Amino acid sequence: MFGSGEGICNQYWGEAFRYVPRTLDSGAANPEYDLAYTMWFFEKENPNLEVSRLRIAANLTNHGLNNVEECHLDYLHHDTVKSGQGLTECHPYEDAACCKPETVLNVDRLKYMYGVEYAWDVCGPIDQECERFLVQENCMYECDPSVGLYRQFSKDSTEDDASWRVKGMPIKGEYCDAFFQACADQPTCRGDSLECYASYQSTLPEADLPDEDAAELTDGAKVGIAVLAVLLAVTATALACVLRRNRRRGMSNADKFEAPPVGASGASAAGASSSDVTRV
């Protein structure tokens, strides 16, 4: 839907993130690029922490938040940054994390922690390349102390979602572009995740036919029924779920920062990423 990495980072999660290009329209280097964040890293120390220190010094955070020792988001997060927790899926944050080990235990926990209707595959299976990026974004949101510097509402706000909503966190454009390349052809939700989930579930064919009917079907008839079921499923979900087959086009998903979280819920997917343009 969005056609580019810029579209993804600026709209995929609502207003949570902001695409920062390496160069300006004029062709000159963008001075903010070195002050933008990545969603995954391989260095021993999280490079986002240094970015945060620089932005704090320049008063470039939300609400004047000025330290990365506190976890300024408050949903499934610690109050203060922790180390030595034995993190597995989100292992880069082992030395400084706002997440609890049980929150980010594995891919399934990350995917379903807010309920199956908010999972990233509400419109169908996502391939491993794209899922690595989705895991990485989830790890960053749950674990990275820097994210809390961009909470949308101040800590004294009375908004229902004030404690966890994020707005305007700058993300390196090359990372967003890699996200787009990995996920542009994947089935994703356009709009409300609950509606997408209900729509997709309603189109899934029954697992088995009744025995009396199955016994009378030829193999060819069974194949025909299966093909028809798939075609009906795709047609019925056309308004909600879009299978992206053109990498020149973008992707959309339910804005997880817009929908109130509803409760908490493999092998490592995030660490296998080969495109750290420095996550999702």
Side-chain angles (χ1 to χ4, degrees), residues 65 70-80 98-100 103 113-114 140-157 159-166 257 260-261:
L65 295 171
E70 293 180 70
C71 300
H72 301 289
L73 298 181
D74 182 19
Y75 191 72
L76 301 176
H77 304 82
H78 287 302
D79 292 331
T80 58
C98 285
C99 54
K100 302 173 182 178
T103 302
M113 74 171 76
Y114 297 121
M140 185 194 73
Y141 174 75
E142 301 297 337
C143 299
D144 200 313
S146 297
V147 180
L149 298 175
Y150 301 92
R151 58 180 292 157
Q152 181 171 355
F153 300 103
S154 65
K155 293 185 178 182
D156 58 0
S157 172
E159 296 284 341
D160 290 341
D161 51 5
S163 65
W164 55 266
R165 191 190 291 264
V166 175
F257 299 110

Side-chain angles (χ1 to χ4, degrees), residues 206-215 217 222 225:
E206 295 183 9
D208 299 297
L209 291 169
D211 291 342
E212 61 270 24
D213 293 332
L217 294 174
K222 294 177 185 177
I225 289 174

Side-chain angles (χ1 to χ4, degrees), residues 132-227:
R132 285 199 297 266
F133 280 86
L134 294 164
V135 168
Q136 291 171 6
E137 184 276 327
N138 275 264
C139 282
M140 185 194 73
Y141 174 75
E142 301 297 337
C143 299
D144 200 313
S146 297
V147 180
L149 298 175
Y150 301 92
R151 58 180 292 157
Q152 181 171 355
F153 300 103
S154 65
K155 293 185 178 182
D156 58 0
S157 172
T158 58
E159 296 284 341
D160 290 341
D161 51 5
S163 65
W164 55 266
R165 191 190 291 264
V166 175
K167 183 175 182 179
M169 184 177 186
I171 304 296
K172 291 183 182 295
E174 290 182 3
Y175 185 88
C176 301
D177 296 338
F179 184 141
F180 170 72
Q181 291 299 321
C183 296
D185 62 351
Q186 297 299 292
T188 56
C189 175
R190 64 189 325 179
D192 186 273
S193 187
L194 295 176
E195 292 180 4
C196 290
Y197 175 76
S199 178
Y200 177 67
Q201 293 297 313
S202 71
T203 64
L204 293 177
E206 295 183 9
D208 299 297
L209 291 169
D211 291 342
E212 61 270 24
D213 293 332
E216 298 178 3
L217 294 174
T218 65
D219 290 342
K222 294 177 185 177
V223 171
I225 289 174
V227 171

Side-chain angles (χ1 to χ4, degrees), residues 235-254:
T235 301
T237 57
L239 295 179
C241 299
V242 181
L243 184 61
R244 295 293 171 207
R245 298 194 181 278
N246 184 347
R247 287 188 177 271
R248 292 176 60 84
R249 302 180 67 187
M251 62 184 288
S252 172
N253 200 355

Side-chain angles (χ1 to χ4, degrees), residues 21-31:
R22 180 179 286 276
T23 58
L24 302 174
D25 291 341
S26 64
N30 185 352

